[in-house]
Every structure is written in structure tokens, then in C-alpha cells.
Amino acid sequence: MISFPISPLFIPANKLDWINKAEDSEADGLIIDLEDSVPLKHKSITRKELGDFLTSNSVNKPYLIRTNPLTLEDGKKDLSLATKTKDNFLGFLIPKIEDSSELLSVQESINVVLLIETPTSLMNLSSLSEDKRVIGLALGGADLAAELGSDMSWDSLLLARSIIVLQASKYGLFSIDSPFMQIDNLEGLEEESRRAKSIGFTSKFVIHPSQIEIIRRNFLPTAQEIEEAKEIIKAFANSDGGAIAVNGKMVDEPVVKLMKKKLMLAGFNPDN
């Protein structure tokens, strides 16, 4: 399983000078956005400028490129940027995808994260997740809420979040929670980050640098949790494979699997 950012920060593709600033931030990944950040009349020139930038510059953090929907001509053209990328390119973030046939235009060697933003996306999530190019599922809360006619509160989108986490777990994918849109409400971000982590999300989108620390603190394991995970994995590896007790806690294979995921989130190889 490849490493994936916990706090990927959105950067408008028409503001490429922001990339250098973002590289100096605490965000552990970037999302260069060709969709919502770019007016329709500027799509073509922005794509060209991004391609030129990627050809002549290295991006020093792992990054995704959010394309336009692949049902549109702009989305198909965005995929050509794969030939311009160098190190740290994780793949494309594909918005508003509803049918797995849309992925046929993506090279088989390119990874994608699917942005789930419509009821049809949710209903087709199992078939979408089966494509071998897919490495992650992400919630697009604003667009989904607009489709549903709901607000963006935790309770309103809990079912969608749960479906995404379940499917991501079933297929061994990363799961990225929707961005928290109220930039000045850090208490609300703290609560939503805690809840998202508790139900199984591995990451959360960042739309402003002020959100990074809170998201990373809530999603990253603590030093104590890391040491506990290492101890549990080691003890289980030295057992006969059945259930054991470690520091008064019952440990079996599902617990060990969870401990390995914690270490991976913290950047450790759980098998070493």
C-alpha cells in the first residue's frame, strides 16, 4: 500500500505561485485544482500553463491533480497532464464520477482517487471501487449536499460518509473526508475531524493553511499509540497466531491489522 497524505491542501491551478508557499506549509500533500477553482473560459490556458510548470519544475510534496469531470472534453484533456509529471505525482482526483466506464480514458498505469459527489456515485460505489486504477475514495460534501437538498452538517452526510468508509475498507483504499468549509470555525473543524477519524477516514481535505494542524493532530497517531501498536504487532508475531493479551487488552488478527494501519499513517513500515 502506497503512502497517502493525511492533510492534502487544495491549490488553484491558476495560482501556480501558491505551490511554493504550500510546499513550505505543514500540509503533507497538495491537490492542484483544475475544476472549481478555474473559470470555464480559462480552462485551456490554465491547463497549458500547468503543463509547462510541471515540465520545468518539481513539486516537492506528494500531489494529485483534480481534473474536470471526465464526461466533459476539458476533463479528458486534463488527463494529458500525466505526461508532464515527475516525482511525487500520486494520480488524478476525478470529480463527479458516476460510472466506471468513465475511467476507460485514464491510462492503466495512472492512479485515481474518486470524488463522490452525487447520489448515483454512492449507489455505484462498489463497481467504481473495483477498478484497479482506484487507490482512494473521497467525499465531496458540498456538491452531494446540493444534490440531496440537505445541509452539510455531520448528521446529514453521515450515511454517505459511512458508505465511503465501508467501501474503502472492503477494497483496501484510502478514504478522504470532505473539506470543512467554515474556515474561521476551528472548533467545528476539530469536532468534525475527530468524528471523521473515529468512523475510519484516513485523511481530510484542507482548503486553508489554518486547518492543517488541527487535521493532522486528529488523524495522526500519538507517540503513545505508535509505541503501543509496535508492541502489539511484535507480541502477536511472536505468538502462535491465536488471540493473546497485551497489557490487559485482547489482541487478535483484526486488532493487529488496525495497529498496522496506524503505523502506516505515521509513516512507519508495519512489517519492519
Side-chain angles (χ1 to χ4, degrees):
M1 199 175 188
I2 67 171
S3 177
F4 194 84
I6 287 174
S7 54
L9 173 65
F10 275 97
I11 302 294
N14 54 0
K15 298 184 183 296
L16 295 176
D17 56 313
W18 288 16
I19 291 179
N20 290 333
K21 297 177 183 178
E23 288 176 328
D24 293 332
S25 75
E26 293 301 313
D28 57 352
L30 308 177
I31 298 168
I32 303 175
D33 182 27
L34 286 163
E35 192 201 13
D36 291 345
S37 300
V38 181
L40 181 60
K41 64 181 179 180
H42 296 157
K43 298 283 187 185
S44 294
I45 185 61
T46 299
R47 183 187 307 110
K48 181 184 182 303
E49 290 176 349
L50 176 57
D52 293 342
F53 177 89
L54 294 173
T55 299
S56 57
N57 296 273
S58 294
V59 179
N60 298 322
K61 290 189 176 185
Y63 69 99
L64 294 162
I65 296 174
R66 178 162 74 166
T67 68
N68 289 279
L70 298 185
T71 52
L72 302 179
E73 194 61 29
D74 275 316
K76 294 182 176 67
K77 290 179 179 178
D78 292 340
L79 297 176
S80 66
L81 290 168
T83 63
K84 312 287 187 181
T85 58
K86 301 177 184 178
D87 295 340
N88 292 322
F89 177 58
L90 295 175
F92 291 111
L93 177 62
I94 309 295
K96 298 179 178 66
I97 186 164
E98 296 188 335
D99 191 279
S100 58
S101 64
E102 296 173 40
L103 295 175
L104 295 176
S105 55
V106 182
Q107 296 177 40
E108 291 191 1
S109 60
I110 302 297
N111 293 328
V112 298
V113 174
L114 307 183
L115 194 50
I116 308 306
E117 301 179 280
T118 71
T120 302
S121 298
L122 279 175
M123 298 300 292
N124 292 342
L125 200 49
S126 183
S127 61
L128 288 169
S129 302
E130 290 175 346
D131 192 287
K132 64 181 181 181
R133 285 163 281 220
V134 177
I135 61 169
L137 304 174
L139 173 63
D143 283 281
L144 182 58
E147 290 273 342
L148 295 173
S150 74
D151 58 32
M152 290 185 62
S153 67
W154 178 263
D155 288 345
S156 297
L157 296 179
L158 179 56
L159 177 59
R161 283 185 164 99
S162 300
I163 291 172
I164 289 171
V165 169
L166 285 168
Q167 290 295 324
S169 178
K170 177 181 178 181
Y171 289 98
L173 308 174
F174 301 103
S175 53
I176 307 97
D177 191 33
S178 183
F180 189 75
M181 308 302 285
Q182 302 172 42
I183 294 173
D184 294 332
N185 184 3
L186 297 183
E187 288 186 6
L189 173 64
E190 181 97 39
E191 177 65 12
E192 187 168 281
S193 297
R194 183 190 64 77
R195 288 181 169 186
K197 173 68 180 338
S198 73
I199 67 170
F201 277 100
T202 54
S203 309
K204 189 170 179 66
F205 288 132
V206 178
I207 57 171
H208 190 273
S210 64
Q211 298 179 327
I212 296 170
E213 188 276 331
I214 291 174
I215 290 173
R216 290 186 61 77
R217 172 160 44 80
N218 278 276
F219 279 83
L220 276 173
T222 65
Q224 181 178 347
E225 288 173 332
I226 291 170
E227 290 307 311
E228 179 187 46
K230 289 179 177 179
E231 184 178 0
I232 287 173
I233 292 169
K234 181 178 180 181
F236 192 78
N238 293 329
S239 71
D240 61 6
I244 62 173
V246 179
N247 295 329
K249 298 179 181 178
M250 192 202 81
V251 172
D252 56 10
E253 285 194 19
V255 173
V256 173
K257 185 177 180 180
L258 178 61
M259 294 301 107
K260 288 184 176 183
K261 283 186 176 180
K262 283 188 177 183
L263 291 186
M264 290 179 69
L265 281 173
F268 293 94
N269 185 339
D271 297 319
N272 286 346

